[in-house]
Every structure is written in structure tokens, then in C-alpha cells.
Amino acid sequence: MKAQCIRAINVWRKENGMKLLPEVQLRKVDRLATEIMGSKLAADLSAPDDQTRSRAIEDILNLGVGALPAVLEAIETTPKDGEANAQLRVLAKKLSCTVTMVTIEQESAAINEDLKERLDAFEGKPLAKEQWVDLLLFFANELPEGSTGINISVHRTNANSGIEMSVGLTTQWPAYNGSQKLWNTSSSFMVNGNKTRGSISSWSLEYAGKRESYSDFLKTVDTVPTSPQNAAEFNEIEWTLVPE
């Protein structure tokens, strides 16, 4: 998302004769060695039963996004209507959505140890929507000292680099005269550089602390394309919970 913003700003700066901002350099994850992936994929494709295949797939997932190029090549060389091809496609999508980096926004309030442990648990694994909701529930029910809200965004600018996750805790309370504090919640989904879905509403923190409150968000996440063959399809998902 940051890269897209800079490109858009540079169009305007160029038209107005201004110096261009430096482009964001996309992260690149090195491809795993062919000999490593060859044996892992062979174990998957030759598995005699579902249980053995599940273990082989889990082994490949544990290798991280560096395994993705070889999996995509295997998809092209297996029968498209076969079970192995279908399982490889699912595997490729999970690998392309592996969280490779979790960063804390520069202006964020301090992250306590409990929250840090939960954020660390995202790294090296495919992004799980339930884990995202667990993080929001933890925040709403255990508001970290010194923080007033949370912003979470995940973005993928290149399938081979996986997903980068950014988290920030707000520190300011707005002027409020009512008897109950309310939080603004907003979610947005960027696909191919365009905002395709979004919502804004007001919640009590008690409501934000209930799992059923996120049912619509979970349903929308399911509709976001995650095809690794076209990384541009999925750019960013953002969720914000801040006091209004």
C-alpha cells in the first residue's frame, strides 16, 4: 500500500515539476534450493494416503514462502483436473499468504509482552483470519496500559515475498461528554489497487470483545482473492478500532 501511495504522489509531483520521492523497494524472499523442494514435493505427490499427504504438505508449509516458486511450477506439470493439482493450489495460496514480517508503527504506544507474544506468533505462518480476530479480542478485553485503540494492516505487494503485517496502538482519547465511550471500527480491502469493500461503525468496547461481532469481517475476508499467480489481486486488508 505504501508503494502505491508513493507512486500516486510521484505522478502529482512530476506534473508539478517537483523532485520525486524514492520508490519503496519490495522485499524479496530467496527461493529454496531445488534439491530441497524436489524431495518435499515428491513426498507430497507420491503420498499413498491422505494422512501421509497432509504431513508432507505441512512439511512444505513449514519451509515458508521460499517454497512457493517450486510449488507453482509443480502445479503447471500436474494434471489440472487431478486431486494433486487441487491440493497444490491450496498449498500455494497458503504459502503466498505467509506472514514474513510484523512491524510496529513508529508512533505506536508501547507493546507489552503479552501482545508482543501474540504478534510474534503470526510470523512464519500463513495468515489465519481467526488468529487476527483473536488478537482483536485480546486487545478489546485486555486494553494495554497507555493505549486507546489499535490499527492492523496486512499487505502483499508480491506473492513471492509473502505478507507484511503492521500494527499500531493509538494513545489519544478524544473529547467526550457522553456516559459511554464508543470506538470507531473500520475495515477496508484493497484489491488490485482499488478499495473494493469497506465499513465504518461505532462499537462499545464490550461489543468489540465478543467473537460474534466479527462475523461480517470474517465473511468478507473469505471473498478476497489470494491467487499467488496474480499477486496484484490482493493488496491490503486493514482493521482499525479507535475511540471516537
Side-chain angles (χ1 to χ4, degrees):
M1 181 60 181
K2 183 177 179 181
Q4 293 174 334
C5 288
I6 289 179
R7 283 196 294 269
I9 292 171
N10 277 340
V11 170
W12 178 83
R13 292 176 73 92
K14 183 177 181 180
E15 291 174 349
N16 289 272
M18 300 173 67
K19 183 179 179 180
L20 302 184
L21 299 175
E23 292 281 348
V24 173
Q25 297 299 312
L26 299 180
R27 294 178 66 248
K28 181 180 179 182
V29 177
D30 291 335
R31 174 181 179 143
L32 290 176
T34 302
E35 54 269 24
I36 295 176
M37 286 307 302
S39 61
K40 295 291 184 182
L41 286 170
D44 175 17
L45 296 173
S46 63
D49 53 65
D50 290 341
Q51 185 176 6
T52 305
R53 179 174 287 110
S54 294
R55 287 198 299 267
I57 289 175
E58 189 66 27
D59 285 344
I60 295 174
L61 278 176
N62 289 335
L63 294 174
V65 71
L68 181 59
V71 173
L72 292 177
E73 290 170 2
I75 289 174
E76 297 302 317
T77 58
T78 55
K80 295 189 181 300
D81 56 350
E83 180 65 23
N85 187 278
Q87 291 187 344
L88 285 172
R89 288 182 181 278
V90 172
L91 174 59
K93 288 184 178 183
K94 288 183 177 180
L95 285 170
S96 72
C97 288
T98 298
V99 179
T100 57
M101 178 183 292
V102 179
T103 59
I104 307 303
E105 295 175 3
Q106 187 173 359
E107 302 299 323
S108 173
I111 304 292
N112 62 31
E113 285 301 317
D114 287 341
L115 185 55
K116 182 179 183 303
E117 183 177 340
R118 289 175 178 270
L119 293 176
D120 288 345
F122 281 90
E123 286 202 52
K125 302 180 182 68
L127 181 67
K129 59 183 182 180
E130 293 83 3
Q131 188 180 13
W132 187 330
V133 170
D134 286 343
L135 178 63
L136 292 170
L137 290 172
F138 170 78
F139 178 84
N141 290 309
E142 304 285 343
L143 192 66
E145 184 177 356
S147 65
T148 60
I150 189 170
N151 177 73
I152 306 171
S153 66
V154 297
H155 61 277
R156 186 184 74 183
T157 52
N158 183 305
N160 290 341
S161 65
I163 282 179
E164 296 181 22
M165 183 176 186
S166 174
V167 178
L169 303 184
T170 59
T171 59
Q172 301 298 316
W173 290 104
Y176 186 78
N177 298 318
S179 59
Q180 182 186 30
K181 286 187 173 68
L182 295 176
W183 270 254
N184 274 328
T185 66
S186 63
S187 62
S188 65
F189 297 80
M190 295 286 294
V191 177
N192 201 22
N194 299 306
K195 185 174 181 180
T196 59
R197 296 176 180 82
S199 66
I200 300 176
S201 58
S202 294
W203 289 4
S204 68
L205 201 59
E206 179 183 9
Y207 185 76
K210 297 179 179 179
R211 186 171 297 276
E212 56 268 26
S213 305
Y214 301 91
S215 58
D216 287 343
F217 172 73
L218 291 174
K219 290 176 183 176
T220 305
V221 171
D222 284 336
T223 69
V224 176
T226 56
S227 168
Q229 289 89 340
N230 187 0
E233 286 185 347
F234 160 44
N235 299 128
E236 182 177 70
I237 303 174
E238 183 171 12
W239 176 275
T240 301
L241 176 69
V242 294
E244 65 177 20

